[in-house]
Amino acid sequence: MKLQHKSLVFFFSLLMSTFSFAQKKVASPAETVTGKINGATITIKYGSPSVKGRAIWGALVPYDKVWRAGANDATTFETDKAISIEGKQLPAGKYSFFVIPNEKESIVIFNKEAKQWGSYDYKASSDQLRVTVKNENGDALVEKLEYKIMETRIELLWEKLIIGFEVK
């Protein structure tokens, strides 16, 4: 009888800890956005942090430093066909996606090492493509970082900043 009781207590405590874990909100949940541009299927996977009243650009995300363009793992950008980013060719494949933000413009980077944690092991020598784009100011606060895939453009939106680039 004691063994059954211990097993039941163990099972119940395991069940409760699993339920408790499932109830916790993740600070920067994993998100995926997929869309089509010019016949190519594009998928972006990223961790989506929130502003939470913090200063983001130039503070939490420093200017002039490589940023993983999300939270946790490096953001990944995958295309099943070759596409053009700001007039430069990007072959089909899966890439880590990084940004080097600044006040007026940002450098967007497609790096051949698709599986990375953050930007700690980032190597510029593995870049497939880099383009510089002008930053845009958004009208409203975007609390959670998000990506949008539109007809000919992709945008990263967070706080009141938009980092967008043309895709063909």
Side-chain angles (χ1 to χ4, degrees):
M1 187 73 167
K2 280 187 175 185
L3 185 57
Q4 285 180 332
H5 177 70
K6 285 182 181 180
S7 296
L8 187 57
V9 169
F10 174 75
F11 176 74
F12 183 72
S13 62
L14 182 63
L15 182 63
M16 290 308 293
S17 65
T18 303
F19 179 74
S20 174
F21 178 76
Q23 295 298 311
K24 291 181 183 177
K25 289 187 178 183
V26 178
S28 301
E31 301 285 347
T32 300
V33 62
T34 300
K36 283 198 175 272
I37 298 179
N38 200 23
T41 299
I42 297 168
T43 301
I44 302 170
K45 293 182 178 184
Y46 61 101
S48 180
S50 296
V51 173
K52 298 181 188 172
R54 302 176 289 185
I56 301 301
W57 304 105
L60 181 67
V61 177
Y63 288 138
D64 302 315
K65 293 192 185 230
V66 174
W67 172 55
R68 59 185 148 196
N72 307 321
D73 285 336
T75 296
T76 59
F77 183 103
E78 187 170 6
T79 177
D80 66 346
K81 294 184 178 170
I83 55 176
S84 171
I85 306 284
E86 293 289 320
K88 296 182 179 180
Q89 289 299 303
L90 181 69
K94 186 174 186 177
Y95 303 93
S96 285
F97 180 78
F98 298 103
V99 174
I100 302 174
N102 201 307
E103 288 182 66
K104 295 185 180 185
E105 61 187 20
S106 293
I107 299 169
V108 295
I109 303 167
F110 300 85
N111 186 275
K112 293 181 255 186
E113 296 298 323
K115 185 73 174 146
Q116 298 185 47
W117 172 258
S119 57
Y120 304 107
D121 294 326
Y122 166 79
K123 291 180 185 73
S125 60
S126 295
D127 289 352
Q128 177 69 45
L129 178 66
R130 279 180 168 225
V131 295
T132 301
V133 297
K134 290 192 182 294
N135 297 336
E136 300 172 39
N137 292 317
D139 295 330
L141 175 77
V142 177
E143 177 66 26
K144 288 179 48 80
L145 182 141
E146 68 178 277
Y147 284 86
K148 288 186 179 179
I149 300 174
M150 295 170 274
E151 192 172 319
T152 61
R153 182 174 164 87
I154 294 176
E155 293 181 343
L156 176 160
L157 303 95
W158 198 24
E159 195 186 39
K160 287 193 172 183
L161 188 70
I162 302 169
I163 299 171
F165 50 92
E166 296 299 315
V167 181
K168 293 184 179 176

